[in-house]
């Protein structure tokens, strides 16, 4: 786990001019270099449907093994990559690597229905996105509906018409689309009904307190009802305990992801996880 030193998070503001701290500046040039080498790696976290006890997919989560700082969290370097524009290359690598892994699993007969990849706002709004996704999917030979893109509401606010056009372009390729961290952003119901998406990922904040909170079960239930009305699936992220899973099930959210099932795993450990499930199933 990346060390949390709050000093590293500060960005200094001065007369409207912004300077990055020495830490962040160093990190930026390192990030530039990391893309050329092999300091990045994808971990995979399974998604489970409690109703069938089956793994329905896995989310690809990037890891940066920095030569001297150790593991740097994506929560730290993805925002920096967004600011500096390095996100396009990192995201391209991530998507191609996820496709390569899934193609390998299909070939090996590992029953992994789908793999999802996160897209940050700048990736989503890049004019190259739809063409890029189409060419990688075509070249991979993977059925496009076995790939999923996770977007946050923040990627889609602003120019809604443009967002709808991009989403339609992606649906045209045939990939699945989900809204990540749902419930924390600003998407109105009027927009939501226009988005050709497949899944709402219920944000971890609603899951975290669902056992103790007097309101969060109702919020989750409302999201599930809303999703059903609009024809979307739901999945809850950040499920850590059996009690949380049970509360989610009571609200008719049976798809879950979180430490209760598994932490994000490096490829070999993920494959071992999948093989163990097949044997005992
Ligand atoms: P996210 O897409 O919402 O991913 C969920 C985060 O929660 C992951 O953190 C995951 O490791 C963590 N998590 C999963 N289960 C649990 C749980 O039960 N409890 C707790 N406390 N945490 C859990 P991670 O891997 O550090 O990623 C953080 C964020 O960075 C992601 O949030 C996503 O927004 C972004 N990210 C990660 N990989 C990529 C990538 O390849 N591209 C882009 N653009 N963003 C990425
Ligand atoms: Mg995600
Ligand atoms: Mg999420
Ligand atoms: Mg999240």
């Amino acid at each position: 786990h990346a060390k949390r030193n709050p000093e590293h998070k500060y960005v200094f503001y001065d007369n409207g001019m912004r300077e990055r701290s020495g830490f962040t500046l160093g990190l930026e040039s390192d990030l530039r270099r990391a893309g050329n080498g092999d300091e990045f790696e994808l971990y995979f976290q399974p998604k489970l449907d409690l109703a069938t006890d089956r793994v329905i997919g896995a989310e690809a989560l990037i890891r940066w093994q920095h030569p001297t700082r150790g593991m740097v969290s994506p929560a730290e370097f993805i925002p920096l990559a967004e600011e500096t524009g390095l996100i396009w290359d990192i995201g391209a690598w991530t998507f191609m690597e996820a496709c390569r892994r899934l193609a390998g699993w299909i070939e090996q007969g590992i029953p992994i229905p789908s793999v999802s990849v996160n897209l940050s706002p700048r990736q989503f709004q890049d004019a190259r996105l739809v063409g890029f996704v189409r060419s990688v999917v075509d070249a991979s030979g993977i059925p496009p509906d076995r790939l999923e893109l996770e977007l946050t509401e923040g990627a889609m606010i602003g120019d809604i018409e443009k967002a709808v056009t991009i989403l339609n372009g992606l649906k045209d390729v045939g990939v699945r689309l989900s809204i990540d961290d749902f419930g924390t952003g600003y998407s109105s119901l009027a927009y939501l009904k226009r988005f050709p998406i497949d899944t709402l990922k219920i944000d971890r904040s609603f899951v975290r307190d669902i056992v103790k909170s007097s309101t969060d079960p109702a919020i989750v239930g409302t999201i599930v009802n809303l999703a059903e009305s609009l024809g979307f699936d739901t999945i809850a992220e950040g499920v850590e305990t059996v009690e949380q899973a049970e509360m989610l099930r009571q609200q008719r959210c049976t798809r879950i992801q979180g430490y209760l099932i598994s932490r994000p795993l490096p490829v070999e450990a993920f494959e071992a996880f999948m093989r163990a499930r097949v044997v005992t199933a």
Side-chain angles (χ1 to χ4, degrees), residues 180-181 203 237:
D180 206 348
D181 306 333
D203 189 63
E237 65 173 17

Side-chain angles (χ1 to χ4, degrees), residues 137-148:
V137 171
D138 283 353
S140 73
I142 296 167
D145 64 353
R146 295 181 66 169
L147 291 162
E148 181 171 315

Side-chain angles (χ1 to χ4, degrees), residues 52 86 123 152 182 214 220 257:
T52 59
L86 293 168
Q123 288 177 275
T152 54
F182 185 76
S214 58
V220 168
Q257 189 182 358

Side-chain angles (χ1 to χ4, degrees), residues 30-179:
D30 289 355
L31 195 54
R32 235 169 253 288
R33 185 210 55 228
N36 307 321
D38 40 29
E39 293 173 26
F40 293 129
E41 186 181 347
L42 291 187
Y43 277 33
F44 291 86
Q45 187 180 36
K47 303 176 181 181
L48 190 78
D49 188 348
L50 294 170
T52 59
D53 198 36
R54 280 180 190 274
V55 173
I56 53 167
E59 177 174 7
L61 293 157
I62 196 167
R63 296 290 178 264
W64 180 13
Q65 189 60 54
H66 187 283
T68 56
R69 296 178 204 266
M71 195 79 95
V72 182
S73 163
E76 193 139 27
F77 73 84
I78 293 290
L80 182 63
E82 278 261 297
E83 275 179 52
T84 53
L86 293 168
I87 192 67
W88 176 261
D89 288 341
I90 295 172
W93 177 83
T94 301
F95 188 67
M96 290 188 290
E97 176 70 2
C99 287
R100 188 176 76 85
R101 293 298 186 187
L102 177 58
W105 294 330
I106 292 173
E107 199 176 297
Q108 293 172 63
I110 296 179
I112 175 82
S114 79
V115 166
S116 67
V117 171
N118 293 283
L119 286 192
S120 50
R122 191 157 168 182
Q123 288 177 275
F124 177 72
Q125 298 190 346
D126 192 300
R128 294 169 285 184
L129 180 69
V130 175
F132 173 77
V133 168
R134 186 185 297 278
S135 68
V136 175
V137 171
D138 283 353
S140 73
I142 296 167
D145 64 353
R146 295 181 66 169
L147 291 162
E148 181 171 315
L149 301 176
E150 300 192 5
L151 311 149
T152 54
E153 293 163 76
M156 293 178 282
I157 53 163
D159 189 342
I160 296 299
E161 297 307 323
K162 185 181 167 201
V164 170
T165 302
I166 300 168
L167 293 170
N168 283 330
L170 293 168
K171 275 324 286 183
D172 211 44
V173 176
V175 297
R176 297 176 61 82
L177 302 172
S178 62
I179 301 188

